[in-house]
Every structure is written in structure tokens, then in C-alpha cells.
Amino acid sequence: MKIQSENQVKNVLDTLFFVLEQYKWLIDSYVLDFYVENHWQRLPQSWQATFTSGNFDIRELSYLLGYEYGSKDQRRTVFPLSLLSLKSVSDILSISRKQSKTQENASSGLLENPKFRNLFTRHVKIKKRHEIDHMSSVCERLARKSRVHHIIDVGAGQGHLARVLAFKYGLRVCCVEKQDDLNAQARILDNQFLQFARKYLRDEDYKVLEAPHHLSFTISSDMDKNSLLDHLQNEIFHIKKDEDFSIGIIGLHPCGDLGPILLELFRNCPEVKFIAVVGCCYMKLTERGYPLSKHVKNQRCDKSKRIFLSYEAREVACHAAEMYQERLSQGLFDDLKIHAYRSALEKIIVKLSPQLKHSGLRSVKYRDCSSFPEYCEKAVSNLGITLPEDLGEELELTKEWKKVAIFYTLRLMLAPLIESVLLYDRLLFLQETTGDCESSELIAAFNPRISPRNHILIARK
């Protein structure tokens, strides 16, 4: 569903809130509480009957997540109309997660040698490489359209994205990162690249290279924006006060409230001509970061309209639904059974020590343990509790792992609706801006099977 205008976004948001309110009991339920709170009995009777019938093949659940298992002749289950309607509503209202086609950008031409390309990907995992390729391409086009040569990369980490923007596209980049050790490592990687380039480039080509700058600084809502911008202009980029200073702000997965803070910087600072932000860690958002738009804030004041998204709801919006689809459809059930183990263990923990409910446990994979008792021992090794010798009751519960997988799938089916609320709220925040915001949109830039948070929110002045 392509949403463009401000009124369209408002209308879709209102509909999303209505739908999510009907299933609040589902999106606010933790899977690890499946046995503690008997979640199965909360499902509609028609859904329970369908999922426990002899014809049901659990691989067909992948259909509810947008991936159809087998052909229509292979599928034996007729899902209840209410469930099919919910899936249809989710498909229509959710922001499309299908990856958009990206254009090839013209680089400086100096770094097309494979030896240099290998330097860009050294120390970088496949997921990050994929994101950097597409994010850098989007940012370069935004910079060109906005006639901006200076980029601020917030939460830059070791500077992998910044090096591509600086060395491949010739942009002047400042990495803003609060962790000194990451900045130190980034400088080492910059110097390695420059040393390598010195050996292979002509002097005139080498001289035009400018490594990213690195600034140890924490971006926060109460910081002095003018002091930061003055420091960037005078001390980092050395631009005279009487010269034009325009920048673009980018953030590849800024955590929690940091993304919304960057959007406010874009809106409130004339020097910031474009922004590109990718969402991350929605569960860490506070009321400072959601809601942002006036429309949603005004609805929040109306107690008859429930727009609050719980921690549990925002947490499930961060899950990798496409990967779960594939596990279901391919019958990789070992990866699904671990949810049942964790839920059964939670019942044991609550029975022994209620104050330890929802405690963080050791991460244990299903294939790394030979039995449920072994899983329990490994998982609670950090809690300092003694498990009972007889785990027979909970062991029996784990045999119902399919019910846990079903419940988890139903929550994942609603996850795109929740993420759409959060992203549309941010888009609307930019659209409501009175002034010179020229354009804003959401782009599904990444392959969701590689990078689950695959949307970039972009805007230009």
C-alpha cells in the first residue's frame, strides 16, 4: 500500500490503531509466559480447532507470514475467516517490506580496483556489508540532490559506512560516536586504508582522499545544538563563518530515542539539509521518542483512543519474521522448539522464585543440549538457583512445542502493523513540519531476510 500524503498517513494510522486495539491481548503477551499464563486458551475457539485438527501441517503457518508453503494442492488447512481477514488487513496496511531497486551511483573512479574493494569489506559481516552498500548509495544520491558535501554519521561505530562515503564517493564525513574505543579502532582502519592507497595511487589521486573525522560525543535531546554545529564547522571541517555550511545527517540503526532525536535535529536546524535514518531497538523507545507527530500525540490525549504500544509490542516489531518464515516452511523445527523450552523453564522459575520472572538467561541453542533438563541447567547457570530434580511436568509441556510456535507466529503476523505505526509516526512528524521540508519518504532499501529493519526514512529540505 503506497502512502504519500499527510492525510493518507493520518487515516492509515487511525486504522492501524483500531486493528491493534482489537488484538492488544496478543501483541502484549510474551511467548515465554505461554505456560505461565496459559496463552493458548486466549485464542479464539475456531483458531484453536483449526490448529489442533488432524489435517493441520505446521509448515502452513508460513502462509500467515506472507510466505506460502507448497502449492494450493499441497495445503490442506482452511484457515478461519477471521484469521484470513486479519492477515489480509496486515498485508494491506503494513508498509511494504519488499526491497526496492537501488540505482548504481557514480563513484570517484579511484577505488574500483578489487584490492580497494576488499579493504571496504574487511572486518565487516555480511549483514553490515549489505546495509552499507545500499545505505551509502542512498546517502550519496541525497547529498547530490541537496548539493551537500558534508555528512554527519551518528553512531558510526568503527566507521565502515563513513569510509565508503569518504573514499568511494568523495564526501567529507564526520563520525559522531560516544565510545572512545570504537573511534580509536576506526582511526586505525582509516590509516590502514590510506597506507594501502599510498602504494597504489598516483600522487594527484592520493591527495584528494580525505579520511573521515571522528568525534567522541553523545547526541542527546538536551545538548547544545548550536555549539555542536559550530564545532563541526570550525574545528572539524574548517569552514569559515561567512561561508555556507550545509550538512546531511545519517544514522544506520540508531538505538532507542536516538533516531527521533536526529529527526528533530533535521527539523530544527537550518544547516541540516537532508536526513537518512534506519530504525532499531523500538522496545528501548521512551515517551520522548514515541509518539513524535502532533496527530498521534493529540490522539493520546483522548482516553477513548488507545494508541499506547507496550514494551512487548515494540519488542516483537524488532523480530526477524522472514527468517522465521523460512524455518517454518522448510521444516527446521529444532530452531522453533527452543521457544517451548524457554516457556516451560519460565514456569519452573516463577514457581521457585517469582521475583526472577522474565530474568535474562544464558543463550542456549536447541541443538547444543541433549535434553530439556540439560537446557535448563545451562540456561539458569547465571541465576544461582537450584532446579528441582523432577522436571516431568514441564517436560510434558515441551511436547506441545507446536502450540508455542503457533502463538509466536500469530504475534509475528501483527509485527509489521506495529512497526508501521512507529515508522508512519516518524514520517508524519516530518510531513507536519511547516517550512521548507521538500520531501520525505520511507524506502525498503535492504533485503529483509538479511537485514530485518530494512526501511530508511529519508527527507530533504
Side-chain angles (χ1 to χ4, degrees), residues 226-242 245:
N226 292 329
S227 294
L228 172 62
L229 292 170
D230 288 343
H231 182 75
L232 291 170
Q233 180 174 355
N234 301 324
E235 305 299 328
I236 300 297
F237 294 121
H238 301 291
I239 297 174
K240 297 179 181 179
K241 288 188 176 182
D242 57 346
F245 179 55

Side-chain angles (χ1 to χ4, degrees), residues 207-394:
K207 289 178 180 178
V208 303
L209 297 180
E210 181 178 342
H213 304 271
H214 299 278
L215 177 62
S216 295
F217 186 82
T218 299
I219 300 289
S220 64
S221 58
D222 58 353
M223 67 182 181
D224 187 336
K225 299 187 293 294
N226 292 329
S227 294
L228 172 62
L229 292 170
D230 288 343
H231 182 75
L232 291 170
Q233 180 174 355
N234 301 324
E235 305 299 328
I236 300 297
F237 294 121
H238 301 291
I239 297 174
K240 297 179 181 179
K241 288 188 176 182
D242 57 346
E243 294 181 4
D244 177 62
F245 179 55
S246 299
I247 61 174
I249 290 182
I250 64 175
L252 183 54
H253 302 307
C255 188
D257 289 344
L258 181 54
I261 290 172
L262 298 184
L263 295 178
E264 290 182 342
L265 278 176
F266 167 77
R267 191 176 78 166
N268 297 328
C269 299
E271 296 88 348
V272 183
K273 300 302 182 183
F274 78 80
I275 189 168
V277 176
V278 183
C280 177
C281 301
Y282 300 129
M283 62 283 195
K284 295 182 180 179
L285 285 168
T286 68
E287 290 190 6
R288 172 70 182 71
Y290 170 82
L292 282 179
S293 65
K294 293 179 182 177
H295 178 73
V296 179
K297 285 181 178 178
N298 290 339
Q299 288 206 19
R300 188 165 222 177
C301 296
D302 184 349
K303 293 183 179 179
S304 66
K305 296 179 179 179
R306 302 283 298 279
I307 65 155
F308 178 73
L309 294 178
S310 67
Y311 179 95
E312 293 86 352
R314 288 179 279 117
E315 192 265 344
V316 78
C318 293
H319 288 202
E322 284 78 11
M323 293 176 64
Y324 202 77
Q325 286 176 355
E326 293 181 353
R327 291 169 184 168
L328 280 170
S329 62
Q330 296 173 14
L332 302 176
F333 298 143
D334 284 355
D335 292 322
L336 311 184
K337 292 177 181 178
I338 200 68
H339 289 297
Y341 272 21
R342 178 65 182 90
S343 300
L345 176 54
E346 182 70 8
K347 187 168 184 178
I348 298 171
I349 293 172
V350 170
K351 189 186 302 181
L352 290 174
S353 304
Q355 72 276 12
L356 294 178
K357 184 178 182 180
H358 295 177
S359 293
L361 306 184
R362 300 287 188 194
S363 178
V364 183
K365 296 184 181 300
Y366 183 87
R367 56 182 171 272
D368 292 338
C369 49
S370 60
S371 65
F372 175 64
E374 182 184 356
Y375 165 83
C376 293
E377 289 289 347
K378 290 182 177 180
V380 302
S381 59
N382 64 319
L383 291 187
I385 63 174
T386 302
L387 297 173
E389 292 184 5
D390 183 9
L391 301 179
E393 178 184 349
E394 287 74 20

